[in-house]
Amino acid sequence: MLDLAIIGGGPAGLSAGLYATRGGLKNVVMFEKGMPGGQITSSSEIENYPGVAQVMDGISFMAPWNEQCMRFGLKHEMVGVEQILQNDDKTFTIKLEGGKTETAKAVIVCTGSAPKRAGFKGEDEFFGKGVSTCATCDGFFYKNKEVAVLGGGDTALEESLYLANICSKVYLIHRRDEFRAAPSTVEKVKKNEKIELITSASIDEVYGDKMGVSGVKVKLKDGSIRDLKVPGIFTFVGLNVRNEILKQDNGQFLCSMEEGGQVSVDLKMQTSVSGLFAAGDLRKDAPKQVICAAGDGAIAALSAMAYIESLH
């Protein structure tokens, strides 16, 4: 039996693994079906992580985390988790893809979040064929071409700046006339000659053919439609938490949840179920910042260690 199972390998999961193994837990496994690093690896630049003065892309930023966190004996299982169940003896069963299972005394869930779909016509049809949620992954395909970006938060504006370095022009579309992003980022966007702001507007439709997107119809404030002949659009309209593995066979969740699907936790990252912890974007009121997720992971690991100690 595992002492501790960590589900998810982003900043929260890696930090939890580091603290748990360095704190003396011997049998700790982090289940992450991809390469560890989490959603931040798709970010084009990180400039606000304390102590890291150099501006870095997400992949470069996360690379040393992996190495450091494995140093004390954290094991990485590259397999997807389908469900977490609690057993009669208060231990946990982790159902893995392929029908295998593991049992653990305690579990920390750090499954994070995924980009939301915006819900406009043509989005699903052209997803991956001109509609993208990752500028660092797909920006290169639009070198010296015009693209559109949808959103008004930090991610949308930061990725617009990134795309402006690659593309000939970026149309930034936002439903309000004010942006939610940091004032310094808004200022940079407004000063960038390659970025045109289209505010108080929404996307009516993305259209194209079997080759992919060929244009975006934008509904303006006065109700008129502006047709942008662009081969690509990047959408940044928020995040959905990944809570599916906590769903039980009866349709209920294993622990108490908030209205938006986030997990209810206390200041120790403890859920309503003893021995089950949640950290990072998944937990209630998460600021969805790397530093906060890392802090959550450390707290959850310390709490899990205290819980496991109390079992003896």
Side-chain angles (χ1 to χ4, degrees), residues 1-285:
M1 185 185 295
L2 302 177
D3 282 330
L4 176 63
I6 299 166
I7 322 294
L14 285 166
S15 300
L18 172 63
Y19 270 73
T21 50
R22 191 171 176 272
L25 288 185
K26 293 283 180 264
N27 204 359
V28 183
V29 173
M30 180 181 76
F31 296 94
E32 168 57 69
K33 63 181 172 184
M35 283 306 292
Q39 191 175 227
I40 195 65
T41 53
S42 65
S43 177
S44 54
E45 62 175 46
I46 297 159
E47 61 179 8
N48 62 347
Y49 196 88
V52 182
Q54 182 188 352
V55 178
M56 303 169 85
D57 65 80
I59 292 173
S60 306
F61 176 75
M62 289 309 298
W65 289 51
N66 203 11
E67 183 194 337
Q68 182 190 17
C69 296
M70 300 296 170
R71 195 180 296 160
F72 300 98
L74 175 66
K75 297 184 201 76
H76 171 207
E77 287 272 346
M78 202 179 267
V79 62
V81 172
E82 291 183 339
Q83 194 181 33
I84 302 168
L85 304 165
Q86 190 174 37
N87 305 316
D88 292 340
D89 63 357
K90 302 299 182 196
T91 61
F92 297 89
T93 294
I94 294 108
K95 286 188 168 183
L96 306 172
E97 285 174 353
K100 283 174 64 182
T101 60
E102 290 273 9
T103 53
K105 294 174 188 173
V107 177
I108 303 175
V109 187
C110 316
T111 42
S113 56
K116 267 185 192 168
R117 294 289 173 101
F120 51 77
K121 189 178 174 189
E123 181 179 25
D124 292 339
E125 184 187 345
F126 292 106
F127 199 85
K129 294 183 286 185
V131 177
S132 173
T133 54
C134 178
T136 37
C137 317
D138 300 327
F140 177 78
F141 299 120
Y142 304 101
K143 193 171 183 183
N144 300 324
K145 294 177 181 174
E146 296 190 352
V147 294
V149 170
L150 176 67
D154 282 309
T155 305
L157 272 68
E158 284 162 11
E159 301 303 272
S160 295
L161 289 164
Y162 172 78
L163 289 163
N165 291 326
I166 302 169
C167 306
S168 59
K169 181 158 187 175
V170 177
Y171 298 96
L172 178 55
I173 303 155
H174 182 41
R175 61 197 166 115
R176 299 192 181 95
D177 57 2
E178 294 288 320
F179 292 99
R180 299 187 313 277
S184 60
T185 311
V186 175
E187 200 54 39
K188 277 189 210 168
V189 164
K190 286 181 174 174
K191 282 182 180 167
N192 195 306
E193 292 175 358
K194 281 191 176 180
I195 300 174
E196 181 183 331
L197 304 181
I198 304 176
T199 55
S200 302
S202 60
I203 292 181
D204 192 54
E205 180 188 358
V206 168
Y207 63 89
D209 52 34
K210 57 178 183 289
M211 297 298 289
V213 168
S214 51
V216 175
K217 289 183 178 176
V218 182
K219 192 170 194 179
L220 303 176
K221 197 176 186 177
D222 62 4
S224 65
I225 299 288
R226 182 173 172 188
D227 195 350
L228 305 175
K229 303 289 186 191
V230 293
I233 176 162
F234 294 83
T235 62
F236 305 105
V237 292
L239 301 162
N240 284 323
V241 292
R242 291 187 166 123
N243 60 16
E244 302 83 11
I245 64 168
L246 291 166
K247 223 170 216 170
Q248 306 297 284
D249 295 335
N250 62 5
Q252 301 294 309
F253 284 98
L254 177 56
C255 55
S256 295
M257 310 291 278
E258 301 290 304
E259 202 172 312
Q262 296 93 349
V263 179
S264 301
V265 293
D266 63 16
L267 290 174
K268 292 182 176 179
M269 303 299 140
Q270 171 70 63
T271 68
S272 59
V273 173
S274 292
L276 180 69
F277 305 85
D281 285 10
L282 180 69
R283 59 105 170 158
K284 71 168 185 179
D285 297 332

